[in-house]
Amino acid sequence: MCENNEPAGLDRNSELGSALTRTAGGNIYTLTIIGQIEGHQVLPDNVKTTKYEHVMPLLAQIEENEEIDGLLLLLNTVGGDIEAGLAIAELVSGMKKPTVSLVLGGGHSIGVPLAVAARHCMIAPTAGMTIHPVRMSGTVVSAPATFQYFNRIQSQIVDFVVANSHISKQQFTDYMMATGELATDVGTVLYGKEAVSCGLIERLGSLSDALDCLHQMVAERRNSARNEEMQKKGGNFQPPVL
């Protein structure tokens, strides 16, 4: 059952393509990350974007709102602003509520940290993920300090991905620096099964798989909360057998 009304205290933003679904198994908030992640510079009107200044406060509201039980993150992004993408990824990874991400179409570039930021991450068999070194457009000062700055940003991305997935640092770096995989760039494109086999993404999945996983996580969280409440009262709660 879908409701058009947002929970109390949650601002709706039509530009986000977000939706709230109310079911007996829990209230799930679906948030889409599409197009380019827009950062400090405004992109042209003809470019599909996800604006970090909209997503960041929304994630905080979702975490704090008692009427929302879990977050479903749907990704189809080409990447974008590094700092904005990492900021969103850090918020998602820091949420206590159940979170599941599903890569559809593409989760490229900074979309990789966004995909692995959720508690459980899935990818469609036909979806792709491009892993490449940090790049910068515009004027770049040719100096050792610039190279060091690039390396530090890149290290932050690598460390985040490794900490939030099952891929090794060496393998992720090898993918990032591979030559011959991309015609005009350095890096690697991983599709569904490849992303799972290397440990970057946990499993292949569809929309129903992602929702089933999220509802299971919500149920486990509810049972844990009830058990803690019963223990405080001196009882011993036994979760129902399904």
Side-chain angles (χ1 to χ4, degrees), residues 11-239:
D11 297 329
R12 182 172 180 81
N13 192 320
S14 59
E15 295 182 16
L16 291 174
S18 57
L20 175 71
T21 305
R22 300 178 186 271
T23 71
N27 299 333
I28 305 301
Y29 199 95
T30 301
L31 179 62
T32 57
I33 303 292
I34 61 170
Q36 291 194 45
I37 311 300
E38 187 178 87
H40 304 301
Q41 294 183 343
V42 178
L43 295 174
D45 292 336
N46 62 343
V47 177
K48 289 280 187 180
T49 62
T50 296
K51 302 179 185 295
Y52 80 108
E53 70 268 25
H54 293 168
V55 176
M56 291 174 69
L58 179 61
L59 289 172
Q61 288 179 312
I62 292 171
E63 176 73 352
E64 283 292 288
N65 198 295
E66 296 180 356
E67 295 182 47
I68 297 177
D69 298 298
L71 171 68
L72 175 63
L73 201 61
L74 301 179
L75 291 105
N76 187 9
T77 176
V78 296
D81 187 280
I82 294 172
E83 290 184 352
L86 274 179
I88 297 172
E90 288 283 10
L91 284 176
V92 174
S93 68
M95 295 178 71
K96 291 182 179 179
K97 288 185 177 179
T99 56
V100 172
S101 65
L102 176 60
V103 181
L104 300 160
H108 306 296
S109 191
I110 200 62
V112 176
L114 285 166
V116 303
R119 195 83 56 84
H120 197 92
C121 51
M122 300 183 188
I123 185 170
T126 57
M129 304 182 79
T130 304
I131 303 170
H132 61 71
V134 171
R135 298 173 298 186
M136 184 176 290
S137 60
T139 303
V140 177
V141 179
S142 180
T146 304
F147 178 75
Q148 183 181 9
Y149 174 68
F150 272 44
N151 274 340
R152 292 186 66 183
I153 294 177
Q154 193 161 285
S155 294
Q156 296 298 319
I157 296 172
V158 172
D159 290 345
F160 182 89
V161 171
V162 170
N164 289 275
S165 68
H166 301 291
I167 194 172
S168 68
K169 185 173 184 178
Q170 184 60 54
Q171 187 169 22
F172 188 75
T173 303
D174 289 344
Y175 283 141
M176 183 179 283
M177 299 299 181
T179 58
E181 173 76 17
L182 302 179
T184 59
D185 200 356
V186 176
T188 305
V189 179
L190 298 176
Y191 290 96
K193 290 183 179 180
E194 297 170 307
V196 174
S197 64
C198 72
L200 182 61
I201 300 295
E202 290 178 79
R203 56 172 286 198
L204 293 175
S206 62
L207 176 60
S208 60
D209 295 323
L211 288 171
D212 286 346
C213 178
L214 195 50
H215 283 297
Q216 182 178 352
M217 293 169 67
V218 169
E220 291 173 354
R221 189 168 188 257
R222 286 178 174 179
N223 288 336
S224 177
R226 290 169 186 165
N227 199 8
E228 289 180 5
E229 185 66 24
M230 290 298 293
Q231 288 179 352
K232 289 179 182 179
K233 295 179 179 179
N236 186 19
F237 174 75
Q238 296 296 329

